[in-house]
Amino acid sequence: MRARYVAAIIVFVLITLSPLAVKLATGELRFGGGAQVGSTGGVSSTTAAVSTSSGALLVGCGESHRGADYLIVCPAKAYVISPGSVVRVNVTVKFAHPQPCPHSSWRIEVSDLNNVKVVGETSTKLVNAYTAVKTYDVKVLGNGSLTVTYYYGVGCPYGTEEVVKVLFFVVKSLPESSAQPSTSEQQAQAATTVATQPSINVTGVLTEVSTSGKYVIVDNHKIYIKGAWTCGNEEVRWRDLLNSLSADVGQVISVNAVSENGELLAVKIVAGSTTCVRGGEGG
Amino acid sequence: MTSVLSIRRAVTLSFLVAWILVGISGYILLSSPLLAKAGLRLPMNIVIDIHVYSGFTALGISALHIALNYDALKSYLGSTFRSSGQIQRAKSRTKH
């Protein structure tokens, strides 16, 4: 009788712990923690890295994780000196579940080509069961953007799509904070500078203010305005700021913006004699 | 005796809870493609984990459940075999 209970307890422990043991052995132990990412390739935040290629400055990686999988697109922003330059965009999908999966009709596509042209692309390659890669060669015709979308397989319960927008800028010289480094030390320094404060200054005609979309368009740049702001000594919300900017449509304004998730986010706006700063003190 | 009874009660209730979790998570997983089409996104990783762990827990508890009810199980099986044997014998007698 006693032996039977002991045997039953041992069987209970062994069976109950078996999925845990298997997950530990395969290195995918998680409890609702999503995909295991980072073993190969890793996930870069939008402003984590800066690299240069001939005549171009590539900044960070854009990332999307709406569903179970990750879409990582590098660079998130690319600055080129001359129009017509070709920038290589690397797309990586980190799957939460090993491939092949039952919903294998997933695909990677580019869309919303704005002032850019895709001149080359590789086929999608599975690097391992959890990673797929694809590259696009993009010709930058002017300030523009493109959207990379990873569509989950039809019927896949883990999500429908992951979207990352890549921004391209044609500049007279590469941004000051991340000028082309010459030595490895300078390169590291530039990387740190861009990683901590990657900002772009857009000065141009304010052509559109969208309160519903929370953005303004200045010199063909869509810049989002969010959160609390300080204009002079007055604290305002983004909505109030957008309402006041509506009066400046057609005027030249200057916006200092940072890139966040592939989108430009305003941090400082100078319109006429008014300076507004996100969160902090205005002038 | 009381302790055996309380163990029996705990095992049976755990078994029930584990199977309820397996059932609910199973239905969610079964219907998840339809839910995804309808735009409802559930944390499927958590549901899968609940399904797997509660399923194996239920399987483990079943070993305890069998051990606790071994005599009854033996009796059921014995009576089943006995009754099926009786039927066979009755059938063969009818033929003759």
Side-chain angles (χ1 to χ4, degrees):
Chain A
M1 184 76 112
R2 196 186 172 89
R4 191 197 306 152
Y5 290 150
V6 172
I9 289 168
I10 291 169
V11 170
F12 163 72
V13 171
L14 286 177
I15 292 175
T16 308
L17 292 183
S18 61
L20 213 61
V22 169
K23 292 207 172 193
L24 267 174
T26 54
E28 56 169 318
L29 180 63
R30 62 190 163 73
F31 194 89
Q36 184 206 11
V37 178
S39 56
T40 52
V43 179
S44 308
S45 69
T46 314
T47 55
V50 58
S51 63
T52 54
S53 61
S54 54
L57 180 80
L58 312 177
V59 181
C61 295
E63 181 191 317
S64 173
H65 179 47
R66 297 173 178 178
D69 300 341
Y70 286 77
L71 170 66
I72 303 141
V73 182
C74 299
K77 287 194 296 182
Y79 297 88
V80 296
I81 291 172
S82 55
S85 300
V86 175
V87 172
R88 175 156 287 185
V89 175
N90 295 306
V91 181
T92 307
V93 175
K94 306 289 281 184
F95 300 105
H97 306 97
Q99 299 298 311
C101 76
H103 313 283
S104 56
S105 59
W106 57 266
R107 63 191 196 280
I108 299 165
E109 284 182 5
V110 288
S111 59
D112 301 335
L113 303 177
N114 176 22
N115 260 349
V116 294
K117 188 180 175 184
V118 175
V119 291
E121 65 179 280
T122 63
S123 59
T124 307
K125 285 179 197 161
L126 267 179
V127 178
N128 56 46
Y130 288 93
T131 313
V133 293
K134 186 179 176 86
T135 59
Y136 290 96
D137 289 329
V138 180
K139 187 186 256 187
V140 184
L141 306 172
N143 290 337
S145 63
L146 68 77
T147 303
V148 180
T149 309
Y150 158 67
Y151 293 97
Y152 287 76
V154 176
C156 180
Y158 303 108
T160 50
E161 61 181 34
E162 304 292 344
V163 183
V164 170
K165 194 172 186 181
V166 184
L167 300 171
F168 299 92
F169 304 101
V170 177
V171 289
K172 285 178 184 169
S173 62
L174 293 176
E176 202 178 295
S177 60
S178 49
Q180 194 138 356
S182 55
T183 67
S184 58
E185 196 179 323
Q186 284 172 319
Q187 207 163 14
Q189 197 177 358
T192 312
T193 310
V194 171
T196 51
Q197 197 164 8
S199 62
I200 177 175
N201 198 26
V202 181
T203 303
V205 178
L206 174 65
T207 50
E208 188 184 334
V209 176
S210 170
T211 314
S212 57
K214 299 184 189 177
Y215 65 84
V216 293
I217 292 182
V218 181
D219 194 24
N220 289 330
H221 290 83
K222 191 176 189 177
I223 304 167
Y224 287 87
I225 293 175
K226 295 175 183 173
W229 288 73
T230 306
C231 298
N233 294 322
E234 195 184 350
E235 283 192 9
V236 294
R237 297 290 303 165
W238 60 270
R239 189 181 294 275
D240 305 320
L241 180 59
L242 281 167
N243 285 335
S244 66
L245 281 172
S246 301
D248 292 319
V249 173
Q251 304 292 317
V252 174
I253 68 165
S254 180
V255 182
N256 199 259
V258 292
S259 179
E260 194 175 284
N261 298 325
E263 292 172 344
L264 286 175
L265 194 65
V267 289
K268 185 180 177 185
I269 297 172
V270 180
S273 58
T274 312
T275 300
C276 298
V277 182
R278 190 176 176 189
E281 289 289 314
Chain B
M1 203 65 188
T2 317
S3 63
V4 173
L5 196 68
S6 60
I7 289 171
R8 198 184 289 267
R9 188 186 298 139
V11 166
T12 307
L13 287 175
S14 308
F15 204 19
L16 180 71
V17 170
W19 274 117
I20 286 171
L21 285 175
V22 171
I24 291 171
S25 55
Y27 271 110
I28 292 173
L29 289 172
L30 187 70
S31 56
S32 55
L34 290 173
L35 297 174
K37 268 188 188 173
L40 183 64
R41 292 226 188 91
L42 295 170
M44 299 312 290
N45 287 331
I46 295 173
V47 179
I48 287 172
D49 285 342
I50 289 171
H51 192 69
V52 169
Y53 290 118
S54 58
F56 276 92
T57 304
L59 197 64
I61 295 171
S62 69
L64 293 175
H65 196 60
I66 288 170
L68 286 168
N69 297 285
Y70 186 73
D71 293 334
L73 184 69
K74 205 164 66 174
S75 163
Y76 297 151
L77 290 172
S79 64
T80 306
F81 290 133
R82 269 201 302 279
S83 57
S84 65
Q86 282 167 357
I87 291 166
Q88 289 293 329
R89 280 195 293 277
K91 274 183 181 174
S92 61
R93 271 203 296 274
T94 319
K95 277 182 187 173
H96 291 298

